[in-house]
Amino acid sequence: MIAELVSSALGLALYLNTLSADFCYDDSRAIKTNQDLLPETPWTHIFYNDFWGTLLTHSGSHKSYRPLCTLSFRLNHAIGGLNPWSYHLVNVLLHAAVTGVFTSFSKILLGDGYWTFMAGLMFASHPIHTEAVAGIVGRADVGASLFFLLSLLCYIKHCSTRGSSARTWGWFLGTGLCAGCSMLWKEQGVTVLAVSAVYDVFVFHRLKIKQILPTIYKRKNLSLFLSISLLTFWGTSLLGARLYWMGNKPPSFSNSDNPAADSDSLLARTLTFFYLPTKNLWLLLCPDTLSFDWSMDAVPLLKTICDWRNLHTVAFYVGLLLLAYYGLKSPGVERECNGKFVTNGKQNANGHSCHSDVEYRNSEIKPSLASKVENGIKNNVSQRTQLPSTENIVVLSLSLLIIPFVPATNLFFYVGFVIAERVLYIPSMGFCLLVTVGARALYVKVQKRFLKSLIFYATATLIVFYGLKTAIRNGDWQNEEMLYRSGIKVNPAKAWGNLGNVLKSQSKISEAESAYRNALYYRSNMADMLYNLGLLLQENSRFAEALHYYKLAIGSRPTLASAYLNTGIILMNQGKTEEARRTFLKCSEIPDENLKDPHAHKSSVTSCLYNLGKLYHEQGHYEDALSVYKEAIQKMPRQFAPQSLYNMMGEAYMRLSKLPEAEHWYMESLRSKTDHIPAHLTYGKLLALTGRKSEAEKFFLKAIELDPTKGNCYMHYGQFLLEEARLIEAAEMAKKAAELDSTEFDVVFSAAHMLRQASLNEAAEKYYDLAARLRPNYPAALMNLGAILHLNGRLQKAEANYLRALQLKPDDVITQSNLRKLWNIMEKQGLKTSKT
């Protein structure tokens, strides 16, 4: 137990600093915006949606079905909300547990000695695990690994009790259940069944390639045949159920996720797909350069035979074949006795054999001691458990390294990534075993104590270096800015783009703009980056530039609804209502098929319809507005906040004098968000209109209480007071509104109206003048300013404003009438007029 505890403690200690880390990268979509984590969402939705909260059968789903992982996120959310500390804590504890179980598994293969200890420490400290442990979404890999190992351990117990105990089938049942749980944490967990079969055939029964078929058909090996058949049946059943549950369709990915899969060249696809496992192995062996994302051009395609990286590919597969040959080659001396094979003079009586005397004489000698030790146990102590040979462990290590990685090779279906470090969490078990058993074999082979010490300390040094790299890499995962900066050299386009989002959230606008432009320098057709840059420019009132980048984003991805939405909003604010209307309509017609995030798309479409309804509302087309609002409600996704939409429905019904319907929608708005200020104001107006004055006043006062800094609340309350003939109070509310929102035209203009109606003409003049300066080309503002100047006796200024209003709106009857009256007064007073 000491090895397990120490290894787990190291795994825990190395990642303690991640407990203070924030949510990073994919955590936002899987946790912060995933509706399946919320208590109001039925927990059963977890079993019908993918890892990101999208319906599994939807055409845009990633088909990543990991309900047990999502369930663990939901429990985290129920206990600690969106505090990242608790999420990181679960990840670290899971990694420590996996490390302990892996060390126990290694003990079965390597014995109770320091080589088992080495394997456990190497797994605990390997830097390739940082993404899986420090990144919260990596919990899927860590959880799958835990049940992967438990399933494998159950099968090992099944093998050792087979034929001697009825409990053997209980262990087999545990194998199947844990394999199913592993798959429900992450898809590759099902591969444990194939690894179990490898263990049974090549480790427990120590069969070689030539012996497999004859042995399976031997009468005395029916139990082996039955176990392998049941493993095959259960694995096939799990895969079939998994395929059926996701709609019998593979996922679809964008070309940037996996450029090789999208390549038109068969040669490029083939060479690249053969090279990628080589790159993954190098990350396991020398994890010097790690990145949060390896998509896009992080690994350039191999397009020709002359690409020097093909040499790496050849070396990798030659080495792999040599290792496989070493593990599977037939022994030099082999004969059969009573149906059991005898190898190197030792009969394989129960599936496990001791190492030959030649192989393990003086097998483990501690560098500081002269006593002879075998597998960490002194020679004068008899071993209770017979251990597999080096060849057996090599075969099992290769199976652990290769089989769980097979789903990521694009061999059976294309995957949505080029390289994903967290996918290597389970294969790293095979790598750690392979390195450890290789070091042990060298240690045994050499004779000189100096060389033995060198091998031992070299392995220990490798573990130390891995641990140091892990500690450094964990620092990159402390926050998103550090993480994305660390990835610039590997994937500059993606890293600069994500860094731009972080800098923008920190209000570092110029730095964010530079980051977006750097991202587009490396990859100019990234729709998300074009949109993000457009959004940044829009928020800083650079509307012409924003429209340009939105247009480029739409050109790159015609289904990007959010770009249509913001384009329409800018056009509407610029008075280009027809262009805005066409943009909103086009957005509303975009289907959500094959989209990566259909929820976000539906939210943007709903917002487009909401703004189209507002456009119709402002134009006085209330029936059209209602029709559009109803369509928005039908298309609205679960996560969309509907209070503004419901409130506008009430407004439209109010304008159509359908007061019961208006009241219903105002109440719906308040039910969906009890502190929604616009609904308090509009409902208060309706209550006042229907004679419920005291109730109305309560809603106006509640709105002010919710946000005392919002001038619009005081303006609406002032209008109510004005209608109640409470003129002094109304005037105070008007002044307060205009002071708080002195840059908001509607508030200032309404305040001036209220002051004028309260006969406070001097104060009204001040705010009419401010309104005219806010919108110098708005005829109504100029006409009203002229009217108040007219009343206040400033006749020449009044004339100038009337004339300016008529230039903008020549056919305005009221302004023409007021101007004629003004001229009559000016002529009577002997003042010069413009007409003379």
Side-chain angles (χ1 to χ4, degrees), residues 75-246:
L75 291 173
N76 262 128
H77 192 280
I79 296 169
L82 288 176
N83 183 354
W85 183 87
S86 66
Y87 294 84
H88 285 294
L89 177 63
V90 173
N91 274 34
V92 173
L93 291 175
L94 275 174
H95 176 62
V98 172
T99 303
V101 178
F102 172 74
T103 308
S104 294
F105 170 67
S106 301
K107 188 183 292 185
I108 295 172
L109 303 174
L110 302 171
D112 191 11
Y114 50 73
W115 291 113
T116 293
F117 193 40
M118 289 286 192
L121 293 179
M122 188 176 296
F123 181 83
S125 62
H126 203 293
I128 205 68
H129 299 155
T130 51
E131 183 181 8
V133 183
I136 296 172
V137 296
R139 185 183 300 179
D141 297 86
V142 184
S145 299
L146 180 61
F147 283 95
F148 186 102
L149 285 169
L150 292 175
S151 176
L152 190 53
L153 289 173
C154 284
Y155 193 77
I156 291 172
K157 291 291 289 184
H158 164 71
C159 291
S160 63
T161 58
R162 187 168 45 199
S164 61
S165 171
R167 288 183 298 175
T168 187
W169 296 110
W171 289 113
F172 190 89
L173 181 62
T175 299
L177 290 176
C178 288
C181 289
S182 183
M183 189 185 76
L184 293 177
W185 273 90
K186 192 170 183 181
E187 298 80 1
Q188 67 186 129
V190 73
T191 58
V192 68
L193 298 174
V195 175
S196 298
V198 170
Y199 171 83
D200 202 352
V201 173
F202 296 106
V203 178
F204 188 81
H205 283 87
R206 300 193 67 197
L207 300 180
K208 304 300 180 182
I209 291 293
K210 291 181 180 179
Q211 301 167 344
I212 294 175
L213 290 178
T215 301
I216 287 177
Y217 288 109
K218 292 285 181 182
R219 184 163 183 164
K220 293 185 178 180
N221 284 297
L222 285 177
S223 59
L224 168 64
F225 179 76
L226 179 60
S227 295
I228 300 298
S229 298
L230 288 174
L231 287 175
T232 304
F233 171 77
W234 183 235
T236 305
S237 300
L238 287 175
L239 289 173
R242 174 73 173 77
L243 184 63
Y244 170 78
W245 205 245
M246 71 181 194

Side-chain angles (χ1 to χ4, degrees), residues 189 249 296 325 352 359 386 436 453 464 550 559 587 644 661 692 754 762 774 776:
K249 291 180 181 178
M296 300 182 181
Y325 174 75
H352 279 224
E359 182 181 3
Q386 296 177 325
T436 305
S453 298
V464 171
Y550 287 146
T559 58
C587 175
S644 295
E661 291 88 344
R692 290 172 279 178
M754 290 160 58
E762 290 296 327
L774 288 171

Side-chain angles (χ1 to χ4, degrees), residues 564-565 567-586 606-629 644-645 648-649 651-652 655:
Y564 289 95
L565 169 64
T567 298
I569 289 172
I570 292 176
L571 293 171
M572 188 167 66
N573 291 336
Q574 290 178 341
K576 300 175 182 177
T577 55
E578 184 55 30
E579 288 183 65
R581 185 187 68 82
R582 288 199 301 268
T583 302
F584 289 140
L585 279 174
K586 189 169 183 180
T606 305
S607 295
C608 270
L609 290 166
Y610 168 76
N611 281 280
L612 178 60
K614 282 182 66 178
L615 181 62
Y616 286 141
H617 189 99
E618 290 173 4
Q619 293 174 337
H621 304 149
Y622 303 119
E623 292 287 357
D624 291 336
L626 276 174
S627 176
V628 171
Y629 291 146
S644 295
L645 178 56
M648 287 305 296
M649 283 280 286
E651 282 279 84
R655 295 301 178 94

